[in-house]
Amino acid sequence: MPETSGSRLGQGCTAAQRAVQEHVCQRVVRFCTRLNSTSDGPFSYKGSLQTFGRNSAGYERIRGGDVDLPTRAATCDPGNLVDPGLWETICRPGAIFEEHQSFQQCLGFTKTFGIERKEYIDLTCRELRCKKLRLRTQVFGVAGVFAAAKSTKGRQRKIWDGSVLSERATQPPKPHRLANPSSFLDIVVRRGERLYMSKRDAATYFDLLAVPADLQPWFGQEPIALHEFLSQGRFALAEVIGFVDDLPQGEGLLAQTLLFPVHAAWPMGFSWSSCVAQSNTIGLLVDAGVDPRCILSLDHTLPGSQEELCAVATDDTLFFHRCPFKGRRTLSKLDKVFDKNGVARNVNKDISLAAEMTALGCDISAAPPLVEPCKRKLVKFVAAVCDLLEAPTASPVVVNSVLGTAQWFCLLQRSLFSIFNAIYRFVQLEPSWKPALLPAAVKNELLVCLVLSPLLPAALDRPFLSELLACDAAPQYGFGVCSLACGRKVVEEVGRYAERRGDYVRLQAAAGDEPEVPRLGVPRRLPFCKGDFKPLISTQAKWPAHSGVLECHGVLLTVKWVCRSRSRQGHRVVILVDAKAAIGSISKGSCTSRRNQIRRMTHPEEKELFIM
């Protein structure tokens, strides 16, 4: 193709357009460099899809000697650390399970035979010796067990299949302040600041959390006969009797007596276990002197100071320090709290005051301050998508594995969720294991996701724009965008409440304004009135549409205005929007509201917050 005056990058473009092109090129170069750094040879993706699906599922037959167990289980009493209200609910009779009328009400397991049973008994004996399990002659619930492959080659994690029991139990509360990759986007690194990162990981965490004795009969497993414990487990009869909690005093056991192993620790696979573990970890942090407000959460307001932030994902505790001295002090206190409460650390995974860290499927670095998809996972994902694009058929379960990884990465750039539509229908096909013809729409969505993957990384050192923006739309008036030059400090303060549930902004009332209308939520009043805002865009709507759609278009006009200036690019921009549906669809990449449920907040001084 002959070169023309406009064929080179940047020629014939404005300064703002050229800046965008340069940014995209830099991201693509970084993306390709990271992919190339994982292998010395050429990039190969043939057969990656099959491997990806197998590794993602990760479910295996139990190998009794390969399951990781603590030296001693049930050493931590969550009653000392978990939120008092949550623990009171857990201990209240009938709060999780209805009052039991008879034994073995809920059976959900498949009997094992041959080598599988041998491995199952071997594992059960190991768990009895480390006090993870107890024995009972009668139980209220029984479930099967299986294993999931761990990242350490050859090692397994045992999972108790509590799906049936979880359906029978009451709905657990949402895990408190649970982190995900989106949590990292709230970290602000200012010019000249140094970010230090640390991580603490509890070893076999669920196995350490003691479950109340009254709940243990619900967490049963496939029974094992006494003679099997004596022969295969090499227990003495007195040892086995010592494990049984419901044997009347003086009563013996027959060789054929079936004994049900029950969990003495919260089983991984039960619906309530995650919220208990999350609350327990937060309790450990509070005991170590960490301010709960500094624990990052999408449902809670950001702290006023980011001198030391924390993120909690069940057994992983992540720290982001600005002062190494304070960081060392916090880590020292937390390590002592772990020891005091019987929580064993996985010392090999400890990270202290590092310049880079891998956590929650992301690589986080201090130089440059950046969060991006984990390189190891990204390479596997790219190879699997490339293989999938050439495959005529694929099973829904394998495609769902690829989709799950894509969705996790998209938490760094939520707008990319809007790509997916047809793929959701495909992964719901039954039977899920049977290969089905891949529709072109599914491949197109995966291709778009792959092409935009270089833009997933998010810079943590982007400053806030010094202008506070607001937009509005209405079918009878059209679109309006305005700005308030209030300074970066005020914009950052307003940005702390962006996209938090229940927070909304109210302006000062001026003469002639309509009376304020009461509403639910937490008002954040700004010391400005409508007259302080300067109009930027005022235009009629060129086509009829639902008010919610027009509100989203108003946000789009605002974003376009920001991007037209090179000086405004690369900033965190706070936009006041007065439609919840627009906030949901833009910040999350999708909106579950039906068209007739989309409604507009009409009061002129009330605005929801959106940050980009």
Side-chain angles (χ1 to χ4, degrees):
M1 174 180 172
E3 186 177 285
T4 63
S5 59
S7 62
R8 290 183 179 178
L9 178 66
Q11 290 190 357
C13 298
T14 65
Q17 291 170 334
R18 187 162 54 251
V20 171
Q21 293 174 349
E22 291 171 355
H23 172 77
V24 172
C25 288
Q26 290 169 1
R27 284 287 189 256
V28 171
V29 169
R30 182 178 180 88
F31 180 83
C32 294
T33 302
R34 297 182 78 216
L35 292 183
N36 290 335
S37 67
T38 61
S39 176
D40 296 330
F43 177 71
S44 176
Y45 59 85
K46 295 292 185 181
S48 298
L49 182 61
Q50 184 177 0
T51 305
F52 186 91
R54 184 169 60 248
N55 291 342
S56 296
Y59 300 139
E60 304 173 343
R61 291 182 177 179
I62 285 177
R63 301 187 299 273
D66 292 339
V67 174
D68 285 343
L69 294 175
T71 305
R72 174 80 180 271
T75 52
C76 178
D77 181 6
N80 299 326
L81 297 164
V82 167
D83 175 76
L86 174 61
W87 195 248
E88 181 183 358
T89 299
I90 290 171
C91 296
R92 188 169 65 246
I96 295 182
F97 296 106
E98 294 181 5
E99 291 293 336
H100 39 80
Q101 301 297 326
S102 60
F103 289 108
Q104 299 180 38
Q105 291 182 336
C106 195
L107 303 177
F109 71 95
T110 302
K111 290 185 177 181
T112 55
F113 300 94
I115 188 64
E116 285 188 54
R117 184 161 184 81
K118 178 183 180 302
E119 297 291 345
Y120 169 67
I121 295 175
D122 285 346
L123 175 59
T124 301
C125 293
R126 289 182 61 210
E127 291 177 303
L128 284 170
R129 288 190 169 97
C130 75
K131 302 186 183 302
K132 179 182 175 180
L133 297 179
R134 300 289 295 172
L135 296 176
R136 296 183 66 89
T137 59
Q138 294 178 311
V139 292
F140 302 125
V142 183
V145 297
F146 58 93
K150 299 190 71 173
S151 57
T152 304
K153 187 176 181 180
R155 304 306 298 172
Q156 293 183 322
R157 175 186 291 108
K158 172 200 162 184
I159 298 178
W160 181 78
D161 185 7
S163 55
V164 177
L165 266 297
S166 295
E167 291 178 1
R168 186 183 183 92
T170 57
Q171 183 74 20
K174 179 181 177 181
H176 187 52
R177 291 185 178 269
L178 183 65
N180 66 46
S182 293
S183 305
F184 300 139
L185 306 182
D186 288 325
I187 301 172
V188 179
V189 180
R190 292 178 175 81
R191 181 176 297 178
E193 274 189 337
R194 178 72 184 273
L195 189 66
Y196 301 89
M197 290 169 279
S198 304
K199 180 166 73 170
R200 290 295 184 266
D201 180 34
T204 58
Y205 191 43
F206 286 87
D207 295 346
L208 303 176
L209 306 181
V211 69
D214 291 343
L215 287 177
Q216 291 180 15
W218 285 100
F219 303 140
Q221 294 180 183
E222 180 183 357
I224 298 174
L226 173 62
H227 70 85
E228 292 177 296
F229 280 119
L230 300 179
S231 59
Q232 187 172 330
R234 298 180 181 178
F235 284 114
L237 178 60
E239 285 184 283
V240 177
I241 292 176
F243 291 133
V244 182
D245 290 329
D246 63 343
L247 187 66
Q249 189 173 5
E251 188 172 316
L253 296 172
L254 301 176
Q256 300 300 324
T257 300
L258 292 178
L259 299 173
F260 291 87
V262 295
H263 283 77
W266 284 92
M268 181 179 290
F270 179 58
S271 57
W272 280 73
S273 297
S274 293
C275 70
V276 172
Q278 178 75 8
S279 185
N280 194 81
T281 304
I282 291 177
L284 292 169
L285 289 169
V286 173
D287 195 12
V290 175
D291 188 341
R293 294 173 297 181
C294 294
I295 301 175
L296 294 173
S297 168
L298 300 180
D299 295 329
H300 296 79
T301 302
L302 289 170
S305 170
Q306 293 200 4
E307 184 179 4
E308 186 171 74
L309 296 175
C310 183
V312 178
T314 312
D315 58 338
D316 285 336
T317 305
L318 316 174
F319 286 99
F320 302 91
H321 324 273
R322 313 304 165 112
C323 172
F325 173 77
K326 183 175 181 179
R328 278 190 290 269
R329 185 175 58 188
T330 299
L331 294 173
S332 176
K333 288 182 179 179
L334 183 61
D335 292 343
K336 292 177 181 177
V337 168
F338 271 47
D339 293 338
K340 180 182 72 174
N341 288 279
V343 177
R345 293 185 0 247
N346 192 339
V347 180
N348 294 330
K349 292 186 177 181
D350 278 0
I351 297 175
S352 300
L353 305 173
E356 56 185 21
M357 175 173 69
T358 298
L360 303 185
C362 299
D363 291 336
I364 315 166
S365 62
L370 192 71
V371 55
E372 55 194 337
C374 170
K375 181 167 61 176
R376 178 176 56 84
K377 294 180 181 292
L378 182 64
V379 171
K380 294 180 179 179
F381 169 73
V382 171
V385 172
C386 290
D387 198 16
L388 190 60
L389 292 175
E390 291 187 354
T393 62
S395 66
V397 68
V398 171
V399 175
N400 196 33
S401 297
V402 177
L403 175 62
T405 301
Q407 289 175 312
W408 190 253
F409 289 161
C410 287
L411 288 171
L412 292 174
Q413 299 287 355
R414 285 179 173 267
S415 57
L416 296 189
F417 278 111
S418 60
I419 296 170
F420 305 118
N421 184 19
I423 195 170
Y424 292 137
R425 294 190 294 272
F426 183 83
V427 298
Q428 292 175 354
L429 296 178
E430 293 291 346
S432 61
W433 52 266
K434 185 177 181 180
L437 185 66
L438 274 171
V442 173
K443 291 188 175 184
N444 286 339
E445 290 172 9
L446 289 170
L447 177 60
V448 172
C449 179
L450 179 62
V451 170
L452 294 179
S453 291
L455 301 180
L456 285 170
L460 303 180
D461 58 348
R462 291 173 299 141
F464 279 84
L465 193 68
S466 59
E467 296 175 80
L468 182 63
L469 304 178
C471 66
D472 199 0
Q476 61 270 37
Y477 297 116
F479 308 101
V481 179
C482 56
S483 72
L484 174 67
C486 55
R488 191 165 292 161
K489 186 176 181 180
V490 173
V491 175
E492 183 173 350
E493 177 65 21
V494 176
R496 287 176 53 209
Y497 311 112
E499 302 170 44
R500 263 57 187 181
R501 295 180 181 178
D503 286 314
Y504 64 95
V505 164
R506 269 190 168 160
L507 304 177
Q508 294 289 351
D513 285 346
E514 299 175 12
E516 291 185 349
V517 178
R519 58 165 289 182
L520 297 176
V522 181
R524 307 291 180 178
R525 191 173 295 277
L526 299 182
F528 308 101
C529 60
K530 287 190 299 181
D532 296 324
F533 283 79
K534 178 182 68 175
L536 300 175
I537 299 174
S538 179
T539 180
Q540 289 285 337
K542 297 180 180 179
W543 30 263
H546 189 276
S547 60
V549 176
L550 294 177
E551 292 282 2
C552 290
H553 190 73
V555 177
L556 178 61
L557 290 176
T558 310
V559 173
K560 286 183 175 180
W561 179 85
V562 171
C563 294
R564 287 195 195 105
S565 170
R566 183 166 188 165
S567 63
R568 290 192 292 263
Q569 295 174 10
H571 287 77
R572 300 174 194 246
V573 182
V574 178
I575 306 173
L576 304 182
V577 185
D578 69 351
K580 286 183 177 292
I583 290 285
S585 61
I586 295 168
S587 63
K588 297 181 180 179
S590 61
C591 183
T592 57
S593 300
R594 294 189 180 275
R595 194 176 184 85
N596 61 357
Q597 293 175 320
I598 297 177
R599 60 188 181 87
R600 186 171 153 270
M601 305 303 296
T602 57
H603 194 271
E605 279 80 42
E606 290 183 1
K607 296 285 185 180
E608 303 291 336
L609 294 95
F610 168 64
I611 188 170
M612 57 171 282

